[in-house]
mmCIF file of all heavy atoms in Angstrom:
data_model
loop_
_atom_site.group_PDB
_atom_site.id
_atom_site.type_symbol
_atom_site.label_atom_id
_atom_site.label_comp_id
_atom_site.label_asym_id
_atom_site.label_seq_id
_atom_site.Cartn_x
_atom_site.Cartn_y
_atom_site.Cartn_z
ATOM 1 N N GLU A 1 -134.689 58.804 -82.455
ATOM 2 C CA GLU A 1 -134.681 58.988 -81.011
ATOM 3 C C GLU A 1 -133.315 59.508 -80.609
ATOM 4 O O GLU A 1 -132.311 59.274 -81.286
ATOM 5 C CB GLU A 1 -134.965 57.677 -80.272
ATOM 6 C CG GLU A 1 -136.328 57.075 -80.547
ATOM 7 C CD GLU A 1 -136.505 55.712 -79.874
ATOM 8 O OE1 GLU A 1 -136.215 55.614 -78.664
ATOM 9 O OE2 GLU A 1 -136.900 54.760 -80.567
ATOM 10 N N PHE A 2 -133.277 60.206 -79.458
ATOM 11 C CA PHE A 2 -132.013 60.741 -78.947
ATOM 12 C C PHE A 2 -132.085 60.801 -77.434
ATOM 13 O O PHE A 2 -133.062 61.291 -76.859
ATOM 14 C CB PHE A 2 -131.761 62.147 -79.514
ATOM 15 C CG PHE A 2 -130.329 62.597 -79.423
ATOM 16 C CD1 PHE A 2 -129.459 62.447 -80.488
ATOM 17 C CD2 PHE A 2 -129.828 63.162 -78.243
ATOM 18 C CE1 PHE A 2 -128.136 62.851 -80.417
ATOM 19 C CE2 PHE A 2 -128.509 63.573 -78.163
ATOM 20 C CZ PHE A 2 -127.662 63.415 -79.250
ATOM 21 N N TYR A 3 -131.044 60.277 -76.775
ATOM 22 C CA TYR A 3 -130.999 60.247 -75.305
ATOM 23 C C TYR A 3 -129.657 60.748 -74.807
ATOM 24 O O TYR A 3 -128.617 60.463 -75.407
ATOM 25 C CB TYR A 3 -131.248 58.821 -74.806
ATOM 26 C CG TYR A 3 -132.556 58.241 -75.251
ATOM 27 C CD1 TYR A 3 -132.620 57.422 -76.377
ATOM 28 C CD2 TYR A 3 -133.739 58.540 -74.578
ATOM 29 C CE1 TYR A 3 -133.840 56.905 -76.805
ATOM 30 C CE2 TYR A 3 -134.959 58.026 -75.004
ATOM 31 C CZ TYR A 3 -134.998 57.208 -76.126
ATOM 32 O OH TYR A 3 -136.205 56.698 -76.549
ATOM 33 N N ASP A 4 -129.694 61.475 -73.706
ATOM 34 C CA ASP A 4 -128.476 61.975 -73.061
ATOM 35 C C ASP A 4 -128.240 61.156 -71.799
ATOM 36 O O ASP A 4 -128.965 61.308 -70.800
ATOM 37 C CB ASP A 4 -128.644 63.453 -72.713
ATOM 38 C CG ASP A 4 -127.381 64.068 -72.121
ATOM 39 O OD1 ASP A 4 -126.484 63.305 -71.697
ATOM 40 O OD2 ASP A 4 -127.304 65.311 -72.068
ATOM 41 N N HIS A 5 -127.247 60.289 -71.827
ATOM 42 C CA HIS A 5 -127.004 59.381 -70.702
ATOM 43 C C HIS A 5 -126.437 60.087 -69.471
ATOM 44 O O HIS A 5 -126.480 59.514 -68.382
ATOM 45 C CB HIS A 5 -126.083 58.240 -71.136
ATOM 46 C CG HIS A 5 -126.839 57.075 -71.690
ATOM 47 N ND1 HIS A 5 -127.026 55.901 -71.016
ATOM 48 C CD2 HIS A 5 -127.505 56.920 -72.867
ATOM 49 C CE1 HIS A 5 -127.744 55.068 -71.723
ATOM 50 N NE2 HIS A 5 -128.038 55.660 -72.867
ATOM 51 N N PHE A 6 -125.942 61.268 -69.640
ATOM 52 C CA PHE A 6 -125.432 61.971 -68.465
ATOM 53 C C PHE A 6 -126.560 62.474 -67.574
ATOM 54 O O PHE A 6 -126.353 62.697 -66.376
ATOM 55 C CB PHE A 6 -124.556 63.156 -68.896
ATOM 56 C CG PHE A 6 -123.178 62.756 -69.394
ATOM 57 C CD1 PHE A 6 -122.831 61.415 -69.562
ATOM 58 C CD2 PHE A 6 -122.230 63.720 -69.694
ATOM 59 C CE1 PHE A 6 -121.573 61.050 -70.007
ATOM 60 C CE2 PHE A 6 -120.968 63.368 -70.150
ATOM 61 C CZ PHE A 6 -120.642 62.029 -70.316
ATOM 62 N N VAL A 7 -127.746 62.617 -68.135
ATOM 63 C CA VAL A 7 -128.897 63.086 -67.339
ATOM 64 C C VAL A 7 -130.063 62.087 -67.358
ATOM 65 O O VAL A 7 -130.979 62.198 -66.559
ATOM 66 C CB VAL A 7 -129.404 64.470 -67.817
ATOM 67 C CG1 VAL A 7 -128.324 65.502 -67.628
ATOM 68 C CG2 VAL A 7 -129.848 64.410 -69.277
ATOM 69 N N ASP A 8 -130.033 61.117 -68.283
ATOM 70 C CA ASP A 8 -131.147 60.185 -68.432
ATOM 71 C C ASP A 8 -130.600 58.804 -68.778
ATOM 72 O O ASP A 8 -130.754 58.298 -69.884
ATOM 73 C CB ASP A 8 -132.093 60.686 -69.535
ATOM 74 C CG ASP A 8 -133.274 59.746 -69.813
ATOM 75 O OD1 ASP A 8 -133.627 58.964 -68.902
ATOM 76 O OD2 ASP A 8 -133.817 59.796 -70.943
ATOM 77 N N GLY A 9 -129.967 58.159 -67.796
ATOM 78 C CA GLY A 9 -129.373 56.851 -68.022
ATOM 79 C C GLY A 9 -130.372 55.764 -68.320
ATOM 80 O O GLY A 9 -130.014 54.720 -68.871
ATOM 81 N N ASN A 10 -131.650 55.976 -67.989
ATOM 82 C CA ASN A 10 -132.694 54.987 -68.256
ATOM 83 C C ASN A 10 -133.296 55.117 -69.650
ATOM 84 O O ASN A 10 -134.135 54.299 -70.034
ATOM 85 C CB ASN A 10 -133.815 55.128 -67.224
ATOM 86 C CG ASN A 10 -133.377 54.762 -65.838
ATOM 87 O OD1 ASN A 10 -132.855 53.659 -65.603
ATOM 88 N ND2 ASN A 10 -133.566 55.675 -64.883
ATOM 89 N N GLU A 11 -132.896 56.151 -70.377
ATOM 90 C CA GLU A 11 -133.460 56.434 -71.696
ATOM 91 C C GLU A 11 -134.986 56.520 -71.638
ATOM 92 O O GLU A 11 -135.709 55.949 -72.454
ATOM 93 C CB GLU A 11 -133.015 55.356 -72.704
ATOM 94 C CG GLU A 11 -131.518 55.375 -72.957
ATOM 95 C CD GLU A 11 -131.053 54.427 -74.053
ATOM 96 O OE1 GLU A 11 -131.877 53.572 -74.490
ATOM 97 O OE2 GLU A 11 -129.889 54.518 -74.470
ATOM 98 N N TRP A 12 -135.441 57.305 -70.701
ATOM 99 C CA TRP A 12 -136.876 57.523 -70.548
ATOM 100 C C TRP A 12 -137.414 58.648 -71.430
ATOM 101 O O TRP A 12 -138.591 58.657 -71.769
ATOM 102 C CB TRP A 12 -137.194 57.844 -69.085
ATOM 103 C CG TRP A 12 -137.199 56.638 -68.193
ATOM 104 C CD1 TRP A 12 -137.301 55.329 -68.564
ATOM 105 C CD2 TRP A 12 -137.097 56.638 -66.759
ATOM 106 N NE1 TRP A 12 -137.265 54.507 -67.458
ATOM 107 C CE2 TRP A 12 -137.137 55.279 -66.339
ATOM 108 C CE3 TRP A 12 -136.975 57.637 -65.800
ATOM 109 C CZ2 TRP A 12 -137.076 54.924 -64.993
ATOM 110 C CZ3 TRP A 12 -136.916 57.268 -64.450
ATOM 111 C CH2 TRP A 12 -136.955 55.916 -64.064
ATOM 112 N N TYR A 13 -136.556 59.601 -71.779
ATOM 113 C CA TYR A 13 -137.033 60.821 -72.435
ATOM 114 C C TYR A 13 -136.347 61.048 -73.764
ATOM 115 O O TYR A 13 -135.148 61.352 -73.827
ATOM 116 C CB TYR A 13 -136.827 62.016 -71.505
ATOM 117 C CG TYR A 13 -137.431 61.798 -70.147
ATOM 118 C CD1 TYR A 13 -136.615 61.547 -69.030
ATOM 119 C CD2 TYR A 13 -138.802 61.781 -69.961
ATOM 120 C CE1 TYR A 13 -137.172 61.315 -67.775
ATOM 121 C CE2 TYR A 13 -139.368 61.538 -68.713
ATOM 122 C CZ TYR A 13 -138.542 61.308 -67.628
ATOM 123 O OH TYR A 13 -139.091 61.068 -66.384
ATOM 124 N N ASN A 14 -137.103 60.846 -74.829
ATOM 125 C CA ASN A 14 -136.598 61.056 -76.189
ATOM 126 C C ASN A 14 -136.550 62.562 -76.468
ATOM 127 O O ASN A 14 -137.587 63.208 -76.594
ATOM 128 C CB ASN A 14 -137.524 60.353 -77.178
ATOM 129 C CG ASN A 14 -137.095 60.536 -78.614
ATOM 130 O OD1 ASN A 14 -135.982 60.985 -78.892
ATOM 131 N ND2 ASN A 14 -137.992 60.202 -79.551
ATOM 132 N N ILE A 15 -135.343 63.099 -76.594
ATOM 133 C CA ILE A 15 -135.191 64.553 -76.743
ATOM 134 C C ILE A 15 -134.777 64.914 -78.192
ATOM 135 O O ILE A 15 -134.122 65.926 -78.405
ATOM 136 C CB ILE A 15 -134.158 65.106 -75.755
ATOM 137 C CG1 ILE A 15 -132.808 64.396 -75.908
ATOM 138 C CG2 ILE A 15 -134.687 64.972 -74.330
ATOM 139 C CD1 ILE A 15 -131.686 65.012 -75.061
ATOM 140 N N ILE A 16 -135.214 64.114 -79.155
ATOM 141 C CA ILE A 16 -134.804 64.322 -80.527
ATOM 142 C C ILE A 16 -135.214 65.689 -81.071
ATOM 143 O O ILE A 16 -134.528 66.259 -81.934
ATOM 144 C CB ILE A 16 -135.344 63.205 -81.456
ATOM 145 C CG1 ILE A 16 -134.728 63.294 -82.835
ATOM 146 C CG2 ILE A 16 -136.864 63.242 -81.520
ATOM 147 C CD1 ILE A 16 -133.245 63.105 -82.878
ATOM 148 N N LYS A 17 -136.301 66.255 -80.576
ATOM 149 C CA LYS A 17 -136.780 67.534 -81.093
ATOM 150 C C LYS A 17 -136.175 68.728 -80.363
ATOM 151 O O LYS A 17 -136.495 69.879 -80.694
ATOM 152 C CB LYS A 17 -138.294 67.574 -81.003
ATOM 153 C CG LYS A 17 -138.981 66.537 -81.882
ATOM 154 C CD LYS A 17 -140.495 66.612 -81.786
ATOM 155 C CE LYS A 17 -141.159 65.548 -82.657
ATOM 156 N NZ LYS A 17 -142.641 65.589 -82.557
ATOM 157 N N THR A 18 -135.314 68.446 -79.410
ATOM 158 C CA THR A 18 -134.689 69.542 -78.648
ATOM 159 C C THR A 18 -133.625 70.215 -79.497
ATOM 160 O O THR A 18 -132.737 69.568 -80.042
ATOM 161 C CB THR A 18 -134.047 68.995 -77.359
ATOM 162 O OG1 THR A 18 -135.034 68.289 -76.605
ATOM 163 C CG2 THR A 18 -133.500 70.143 -76.506
ATOM 164 N N PHE A 19 -133.713 71.514 -79.594
ATOM 165 C CA PHE A 19 -132.804 72.269 -80.450
ATOM 166 C C PHE A 19 -131.348 72.099 -80.004
ATOM 167 O O PHE A 19 -130.443 72.001 -80.831
ATOM 168 C CB PHE A 19 -133.170 73.765 -80.430
ATOM 169 C CG PHE A 19 -132.206 74.630 -81.176
ATOM 170 C CD1 PHE A 19 -132.227 74.701 -82.563
ATOM 171 C CD2 PHE A 19 -131.240 75.379 -80.499
ATOM 172 C CE1 PHE A 19 -131.330 75.485 -83.255
ATOM 173 C CE2 PHE A 19 -130.329 76.171 -81.186
ATOM 174 C CZ PHE A 19 -130.375 76.223 -82.562
ATOM 175 N N GLU A 20 -131.115 72.034 -78.705
ATOM 176 C CA GLU A 20 -129.769 72.031 -78.173
ATOM 177 C C GLU A 20 -128.934 70.811 -78.600
ATOM 178 O O GLU A 20 -127.709 70.843 -78.554
ATOM 179 C CB GLU A 20 -129.792 72.098 -76.642
ATOM 180 C CG GLU A 20 -130.189 73.449 -76.075
ATOM 181 C CD GLU A 20 -131.702 73.676 -76.146
ATOM 182 O OE1 GLU A 20 -132.429 72.710 -76.470
ATOM 183 O OE2 GLU A 20 -132.146 74.814 -75.893
ATOM 184 N N ILE A 21 -129.581 69.730 -79.011
ATOM 185 C CA ILE A 21 -128.830 68.510 -79.326
ATOM 186 C C ILE A 21 -128.595 68.335 -80.821
ATOM 187 O O ILE A 21 -128.028 67.315 -81.240
ATOM 188 C CB ILE A 21 -129.514 67.261 -78.740
ATOM 189 C CG1 ILE A 21 -130.949 67.084 -79.293
ATOM 190 C CG2 ILE A 21 -129.523 67.309 -77.232
ATOM 191 C CD1 ILE A 21 -131.072 66.261 -80.526
ATOM 192 N N GLN A 22 -129.013 69.275 -81.639
ATOM 193 C CA GLN A 22 -128.922 69.078 -83.083
ATOM 194 C C GLN A 22 -127.457 68.949 -83.563
ATOM 195 O O GLN A 22 -127.172 68.183 -84.476
ATOM 196 C CB GLN A 22 -129.618 70.216 -83.824
ATOM 197 C CG GLN A 22 -131.116 70.289 -83.556
ATOM 198 C CD GLN A 22 -131.821 68.950 -83.782
ATOM 199 O OE1 GLN A 22 -131.665 68.310 -84.829
ATOM 200 N NE2 GLN A 22 -132.587 68.521 -82.778
ATOM 201 N N GLU A 23 -126.549 69.662 -82.942
ATOM 202 C CA GLU A 23 -125.141 69.550 -83.334
ATOM 203 C C GLU A 23 -124.599 68.163 -83.002
ATOM 204 O O GLU A 23 -123.889 67.543 -83.817
ATOM 205 C CB GLU A 23 -124.321 70.624 -82.613
ATOM 206 C CG GLU A 23 -122.853 70.614 -83.013
ATOM 207 C CD GLU A 23 -122.058 71.725 -82.344
ATOM 208 O OE1 GLU A 23 -122.678 72.669 -81.807
ATOM 209 O OE2 GLU A 23 -120.818 71.640 -82.355
ATOM 210 N N GLU A 24 -124.949 67.662 -81.820
ATOM 211 C CA GLU A 24 -124.500 66.317 -81.429
ATOM 212 C C GLU A 24 -125.129 65.247 -82.322
ATOM 213 O O GLU A 24 -124.478 64.263 -82.705
ATOM 214 C CB GLU A 24 -124.862 66.043 -79.971
ATOM 215 C CG GLU A 24 -124.026 66.776 -78.952
ATOM 216 C CD GLU A 24 -124.495 68.228 -78.733
ATOM 217 O OE1 GLU A 24 -125.512 68.630 -79.366
ATOM 218 O OE2 GLU A 24 -123.861 68.936 -77.931
ATOM 219 N N LYS A 25 -126.396 65.460 -82.671
ATOM 220 C CA LYS A 25 -127.062 64.515 -83.573
ATOM 221 C C LYS A 25 -126.351 64.462 -84.929
ATOM 222 O O LYS A 25 -126.097 63.388 -85.465
ATOM 223 C CB LYS A 25 -128.518 64.927 -83.748
ATOM 224 C CG LYS A 25 -129.253 64.178 -84.861
ATOM 225 C CD LYS A 25 -130.613 64.785 -85.109
ATOM 226 C CE LYS A 25 -131.036 64.566 -86.550
ATOM 227 N NZ LYS A 25 -132.345 65.161 -86.867
ATOM 228 N N THR A 26 -126.041 65.603 -85.464
ATOM 229 C CA THR A 26 -125.336 65.671 -86.755
ATOM 230 C C THR A 26 -123.998 64.953 -86.689
ATOM 231 O O THR A 26 -123.603 64.247 -87.618
ATOM 232 C CB THR A 26 -125.129 67.126 -87.183
ATOM 233 O OG1 THR A 26 -126.411 67.763 -87.301
ATOM 234 C CG2 THR A 26 -124.397 67.206 -88.518
ATOM 235 N N GLU A 27 -123.305 65.113 -85.562
ATOM 236 C CA GLU A 27 -122.015 64.451 -85.377
ATOM 237 C C GLU A 27 -122.168 62.938 -85.395
ATOM 238 O O GLU A 27 -121.402 62.221 -86.043
ATOM 239 C CB GLU A 27 -121.392 64.905 -84.059
ATOM 240 C CG GLU A 27 -120.150 64.145 -83.639
ATOM 241 C CD GLU A 27 -118.949 64.333 -84.564
ATOM 242 O OE1 GLU A 27 -118.963 65.294 -85.363
ATOM 243 O OE2 GLU A 27 -118.026 63.514 -84.500
ATOM 244 N N LEU A 28 -123.192 62.410 -84.706
ATOM 245 C CA LEU A 28 -123.390 60.959 -84.635
ATOM 246 C C LEU A 28 -123.907 60.380 -85.944
ATOM 247 O O LEU A 28 -123.636 59.220 -86.281
ATOM 248 C CB LEU A 28 -124.334 60.598 -83.481
ATOM 249 C CG LEU A 28 -123.802 60.888 -82.078
ATOM 250 C CD1 LEU A 28 -124.797 60.484 -81.016
ATOM 251 C CD2 LEU A 28 -122.473 60.177 -81.838
ATOM 252 N N GLN A 29 -124.648 61.176 -86.691
ATOM 253 C CA GLN A 29 -125.164 60.698 -87.980
ATOM 254 C C GLN A 29 -124.032 60.302 -88.930
ATOM 255 O O GLN A 29 -124.224 59.476 -89.835
ATOM 256 C CB GLN A 29 -126.021 61.784 -88.635
ATOM 257 C CG GLN A 29 -127.428 61.882 -88.063
ATOM 258 C CD GLN A 29 -128.225 62.992 -88.734
ATOM 259 O OE1 GLN A 29 -127.702 64.075 -89.020
ATOM 260 N NE2 GLN A 29 -129.500 62.729 -88.982
ATOM 261 N N ARG A 30 -122.856 60.865 -88.739
ATOM 262 C CA ARG A 30 -121.715 60.548 -89.604
ATOM 263 C C ARG A 30 -121.347 59.081 -89.531
ATOM 264 O O ARG A 30 -120.716 58.547 -90.459
ATOM 265 C CB ARG A 30 -120.493 61.403 -89.213
ATOM 266 C CG ARG A 30 -120.642 62.879 -89.388
ATOM 267 C CD ARG A 30 -119.298 63.587 -89.253
ATOM 268 N NE ARG A 30 -118.611 63.338 -88.007
ATOM 269 C CZ ARG A 30 -117.482 62.641 -87.892
ATOM 270 N NH1 ARG A 30 -116.930 62.085 -88.971
ATOM 271 N NH2 ARG A 30 -116.897 62.471 -86.718
ATOM 272 N N PHE A 31 -121.710 58.430 -88.446
ATOM 273 C CA PHE A 31 -121.294 57.058 -88.236
ATOM 274 C C PHE A 31 -122.328 56.045 -88.730
ATOM 275 O O PHE A 31 -122.122 54.831 -88.584
ATOM 276 C CB PHE A 31 -120.975 56.815 -86.775
ATOM 277 C CG PHE A 31 -119.909 57.730 -86.229
ATOM 278 C CD1 PHE A 31 -120.172 58.611 -85.198
ATOM 279 C CD2 PHE A 31 -118.631 57.721 -86.776
ATOM 280 C CE1 PHE A 31 -119.185 59.455 -84.701
ATOM 281 C CE2 PHE A 31 -117.642 58.548 -86.304
ATOM 282 C CZ PHE A 31 -117.913 59.423 -85.264
#
């Protein structure tokens, strides 16, 4: 799952398949 709190503070919309967030996802996977 992936949520952007700047636009979806309620975590209503799982945007894991959105192409635009793949770089951010890769960055967080490091942790």
Side-chain angles (χ1 to χ4, degrees):
E1 297 175 50
F2 199 95
Y3 302 96
D4 184 344
H5 271 254
F6 285 6
V7 297
D8 178 24
N10 294 305
E11 295 186 348
W12 283 341
Y13 306 107
N14 179 13
I15 57 173
I16 190 62
K17 296 180 181 179
T18 305
F19 175 78
E20 288 77 10
I21 59 91
Q22 296 309 309
E23 183 177 344
E24 287 82 1
K25 170 188 151 182
T26 301
E27 171 66 17
L28 293 181
Q29 282 179 320
R30 296 192 303 111
F31 302 118

